[in-house]
Amino acid sequence: MIRTLSLALLPVWLAAVSSGQTSLSILLPERTRLLQDQRLDLVIEARNITGAGAIRVTANGVDISSRFTGPQTVDLDCDARPDTVYRANLFSFQDTGNIRLTATLAGLQTIRDLHVRPFAMGAQPRSVILYIGDAMGTAYRDAARIVGRSVETQPGVPGFREGYFDELLEMDQMPVSGMVMTYSSDRVIPDSANTAAAWATGNKTFEAALNVFADGTDCLWLANLNASTVGAALDNPRIETLWEYLRRKFGYRTGIVSTANITDATPAAEGSHTGNRQTRFEIARQFLENPLLSSQPGFDVILGGGNDEFLPEIRADGRDLIAEFRQRGFSFVSTATQLRNLPGGTRAVLGLFRRSASGVRNANGLRSTVDANMESAYDRLGLPRPASEPRPNFGAWTDQPMLDLMTRKAIEVLSGPDQREPFILMVEGALIDKQSHPNHASGVIWDTLELDKAVGVGRGFARARRQADTLLLVTADHDQSMSIVGLNEIPDADYLDNGSSLSFTISPPVGQQGMRVLKDSNANVRSGYNYSASGGDPNTSGRAGAPAYTFQNVYDIDGFPNYVDADGDGYPENRAAGGQVLRRISVGFRTGNHTGTSVPITAEGPGSFLFTGYMDQTDIPFKIAVSLSGDTADGDAFVNNVLLNPRYPFTYGKCKGVCLY
């Protein structure tokens, strides 16, 4: 009897498994896409079958059975029944187009179709800089633009007036834009791991997974991930990332930059493989000993927070990874001053700019107790926190670099002394997300401005090139719930007063909840507050319950913000000048979590025309690959001759020079 596993038969297959019937499955997603010679682990699971011997596997009719090891007896699904697994690790396809995999064992057969796209490196290798604003949906970019570009552009003339901007953000000025859908393989609302895996590999995976597919031993660790079960989280089928692919095949230089703990999901996704993003010790080890790169380092540049997972007193295995990176030729820096003074000609650098205060390993043996993310840009700038947001505690880590400096140094190291070496770099503004979870609006907005400054560094590098050879992309991994709800006129004395508050409780069906409201509440409507709206009906206006100190209907306040950037550093100070009342934007949050909303992407450079319209997150690496192939002349000509041609209408704030608006 021959059975083919398909989505339509999934309920039947699950019933068969539970009843002890036999089944055969190839562990690949339904819509697997690969680049030519992109490696992955082919894993085949045979349930309730033992002693069957060798398996027969074909790819478009060609026998590839010899590549598989096994049979290995494994308990799949934790049902105490012996099962069998066959593996062909680091397999790749040289043929392109549609590939049909067929596996046959003990009278059973299963089929999985996949698609392989051709890839050949262009005659003149190009570079890629991918900027990720973690949680940076459309409203986040809008808020940063309003705050950062509303300051005076000349005395008495604000940069945002009558609804137009004198100059848009760096990321806004890029000529091509699109929208990206972010769903994961198992849920509508994704996390930062499976979204990052999507743009790193071109394939979807499950919640919290980094560049692996699900397998039958996940049941061992999903309920309790610890040192005794972590092995099952590290045996999932792996798929090569674009960073690893370009490094292995073409000698590309590679880098990751983040303001988060550097083993956090987004930076980890470019060069690690695990079923769960919280296996931080293992992620740090894989940075040093990449399993898909013959245990060589996966990157030339690693800059971010979180040195805990690299330290012998924190790591469960007692290894000193900082020392081991140094032994591999890496320079190590831990302050902005050291990074700024990095010697010319440096070929590899590890920069870790924060450590947690706990200084102990987690009881589960997988990571440190506390994430050592860098401080928010708002705090690194020394700006006064509004009443409802916490004051920073830098400890000994007061000399942390800004993201534009980290990006500049990363580009200098990766591009080499003559700036001619091709590279691929990911730069993350991570604390947009970290500040959005607790609804800290100031942290969110100023961190978005920080990312935009880093985008400006990349754009400056690309413009200075003798030829257009650098693709720049700015997007997000997922969205969060912040929205712009109006303006407010809160005096600084109230905005910064964290000593006065009122408390109230609400009793929704989920149970009683408490909320402490401070005087800045009209500037930052947290997810636990009630929104305001015109109309007066408490059933529709959101004004039922205790009011804020002095209620302002932020929707009805006319005009535009009047932020001040007195020192000209591109970051408004968020305080009034000259005894005036600062007119700030008001934002509101509906949750402290991710949302399933599509996120914007903007692009510039060779191949940028590919990033227009709606796309899936998994399309991104394949579009990048087309750019790197060099086959973009027609589309690039359209961008240059039409989108960037001053003969055609320009958006105010984008045009440099004489343009027909």
Side-chain angles (χ1 to χ4, degrees):
M1 179 174 60
I2 297 177
R3 296 191 183 95
T4 300
L5 182 62
S6 68
L7 285 182
L9 295 177
L10 186 57
V12 176
W13 171 71
L14 290 174
V17 171
S18 64
S19 65
Q21 295 184 20
T22 58
S23 66
L24 194 64
S25 55
I26 301 172
L27 303 189
L28 290 177
E30 179 187 1
R31 293 180 175 91
T32 300
R33 285 187 293 177
L34 303 170
L35 289 173
Q36 186 177 16
D37 197 34
Q38 182 181 2
R39 300 194 297 186
L40 78 168
D41 295 339
L42 290 181
V43 178
I44 301 173
E45 294 181 340
R47 283 171 169 77
N48 302 307
I49 299 175
T50 58
I55 193 170
R56 186 172 189 271
V57 186
T58 61
N60 283 352
V62 177
D63 195 319
I64 58 172
S65 306
S66 62
R67 288 294 309 276
F68 284 80
T69 61
Q72 179 184 4
T73 301
V74 178
D75 178 10
L76 303 175
D77 309 313
C78 301
D79 59 4
R81 297 189 183 98
D83 308 292
T84 303
V85 172
Y86 300 83
R87 300 184 70 105
N89 288 339
L90 304 184
F91 190 90
S92 64
F93 297 91
Q94 301 303 321
D95 293 337
T96 60
N98 295 324
I99 305 290
R100 169 157 289 189
L101 290 176
T102 304
T104 306
L105 179 73
L108 301 178
Q109 185 179 86
T110 187
I111 295 172
R112 178 60 80 200
D113 293 324
L114 56 94
H115 185 79
V116 179
R117 289 192 56 84
F119 181 83
M121 182 60 67
Q124 297 294 324
R126 296 170 172 175
S127 296
V128 182
I129 307 176
L130 172 64
Y131 292 93
I132 299 295
D134 199 322
M136 191 179 68
T138 303
Y140 293 73
R141 294 172 71 144
D142 291 341
R145 183 187 314 112
I146 291 171
V147 171
R149 295 298 195 259
S150 64
V151 301
E152 291 184 352
T153 53
Q154 52 184 297
V157 181
F160 180 32
R161 61 192 184 278
E162 296 184 347
Y164 291 105
F165 292 89
D166 284 344
E167 184 179 4
L168 299 178
L169 294 175
E170 294 281 352
M171 63 182 81
D172 297 332
Q173 295 179 44
M174 302 167 81
V176 178
S177 61
M179 294 296 292
V180 180
M181 296 174 286
T182 64
Y183 318 112
S184 66
S185 67
D186 61 341
R187 50 189 296 167
V188 171
I189 310 299
D191 86 313
S192 294
N194 51 52
T195 50
W199 77 63
T201 71
N203 289 272
K204 292 185 183 292
T205 189
F206 58 95
E207 174 76 1
L210 290 167
N211 309 316
V212 297
F213 302 131
D215 70 8
T217 65
D218 290 342
C219 59
L220 289 170
W221 60 267
L222 283 172
N224 185 18
L225 181 65
N226 56 49
S228 64
T229 61
V230 68
L234 299 177
D235 72 351
N236 293 63
R238 304 161 299 179
I239 179 169
E240 191 172 37
T241 72
L242 185 61
W243 277 250
E244 294 163 337
Y245 178 82
L246 293 175
R247 191 172 181 86
R248 171 178 64 89
K249 287 183 63 66
F250 304 104
Y252 261 57
R253 294 173 58 73
T254 56
I256 50 174
V257 173
S258 177
T259 49
N261 185 317
I262 200 62
T263 59
D264 200 11
T266 302
E270 279 66 52
S272 67
H273 304 265
T274 172
N276 191 287
R277 57 185 286 182
Q278 299 305 336
T279 57
R280 300 293 187 86
F281 293 155
E282 173 62 16
I283 290 168
R285 186 198 67 79
Q286 290 187 28
F287 285 176
L288 178 70
E289 301 168 341
N290 186 289
L292 274 66
L293 293 169
S294 303
S295 293
Q296 296 301 304
F299 306 106
D300 301 289
V301 170
I302 302 171
L303 301 176
N307 74 356
D308 300 57
E309 273 86 16
F310 295 76
L311 298 176
E313 63 268 32
I314 307 296
R315 292 185 58 83
D317 59 12
R319 292 177 65 175
D320 185 343
L321 293 191
I322 294 175
E324 293 188 42
F325 269 102
R326 281 172 159 159
Q327 291 166 6
R328 302 262 191 141
F330 280 71
S331 297
F332 176 69
V333 295
S334 59
T335 67
T337 301
Q338 292 172 351
L339 180 63
R340 196 175 292 111
N341 295 326
L342 198 67
T346 298
R347 297 293 293 166
V349 58
L350 171 66
L352 301 173
F353 306 108
R354 193 66 166 93
R355 181 179 177 183
S356 71
S358 68
V360 296
R361 76 173 65 102
N362 197 303
N364 65 19
L366 304 178
R367 52 168 297 177
S368 63
T369 301
V370 180
D371 267 358
N373 302 311
M374 295 172 64
E375 253 64 41
S376 168
Y378 194 86
D379 297 322
R380 277 175 279 144
L381 292 163
L383 301 178
R385 280 279 183 172
S388 63
E389 299 185 12
R391 278 55 183 161
N393 180 10
F394 286 81
W397 298 84
T398 55
D399 189 16
Q400 297 177 34
M402 300 299 288
L403 193 58
D404 57 342
L405 172 62
M406 296 164 71
T407 303
R408 182 175 295 108
K409 287 299 181 179
I411 292 173
E412 287 177 7
V413 172
L414 292 174
S415 61
D418 59 0
Q419 293 194 330
R420 298 181 64 181
E421 297 186 53
F423 64 87
I424 180 168
L425 169 66
M426 189 285 300
V427 177
E428 182 194 23
L431 302 180
I432 303 168
D433 174 86
K434 310 299 184 190
Q435 294 286 298
S436 189
H437 280 298
N439 300 167
H440 297 331
S442 295
V444 165
I445 294 168
W446 269 257
D447 276 278
T448 306
L449 289 173
E450 182 189 30
L451 177 66
D452 194 60
K453 277 188 166 290
V455 173
V457 170
R459 295 187 75 215
F461 170 80
R463 285 195 299 267
R465 309 291 288 167
R466 285 174 291 183
Q467 57 183 359
D469 64 357
T470 305
L471 173 65
L472 305 170
L473 302 171
V474 184
T475 188
D477 47 357
H478 54 74
D479 203 353
Q480 287 204 36
S481 72
M482 189 183 78
S483 58
I484 300 169
V485 297
L487 298 180
N488 68 86
E489 295 175 331
I490 303 174
D492 281 6
D494 289 343
Y495 185 73
L496 302 172
D497 179 8
N498 63 353
S500 302
S501 65
L502 64 84
S503 299
F504 67 90
T505 59
I506 57 176
S507 300
V510 296
Q512 182 171 293
Q513 300 176 37
M515 181 63 61
R516 179 171 175 254
V517 181
L518 292 101
K519 292 182 180 181
D520 69 339
S521 59
N522 290 297
N524 185 6
V525 185
R526 295 173 180 278
S527 56
Y529 298 174
N530 290 312
Y531 272 99
S532 65
S534 300
D537 179 356
N539 293 313
T540 60
S541 72
R543 287 183 59 183
Y549 276 88
T550 301
F551 179 77
Q552 294 184 7
N553 192 336
V554 298
Y555 176 79
D556 286 341
I557 295 178
D558 295 329
F560 298 91
N562 60 343
Y563 289 94
V564 178
D565 181 12
D567 59 8
D569 65 353
Y571 296 101
E573 284 81 20
N574 204 20
R575 300 190 76 152
Q580 299 176 348
V581 172
L582 179 58
R583 180 173 288 173
R584 301 174 174 90
I585 65 167
S586 290
V587 302
F589 296 86
R590 263 312 184 203
T591 77
N593 292 309
H594 304 173
T595 64
T597 319
S598 297
V599 296
I601 187 169
T602 44
E604 187 171 37
S608 60
F609 67 92
L610 294 162
F611 296 89
T612 187
Y614 254 82
M615 68 195 76
D616 192 83
Q617 209 159 38
T618 57
D619 297 335
I620 291 175
F622 297 107
K623 292 174 183 283
I624 291 174
V626 173
S627 171
L628 297 180
S629 73
D631 186 20
T632 61
D634 292 342
D636 295 339
F638 172 78
V639 172
N640 293 324
N641 297 334
V642 179
L643 298 184
L644 296 176
N645 191 328
R647 293 173 51 199
Y648 299 109
F650 259 68
T651 300
Y652 282 105
K654 280 190 176 183
C655 180
K656 305 290 186 182
V658 180
C659 297
L660 297 178
Y661 285 103

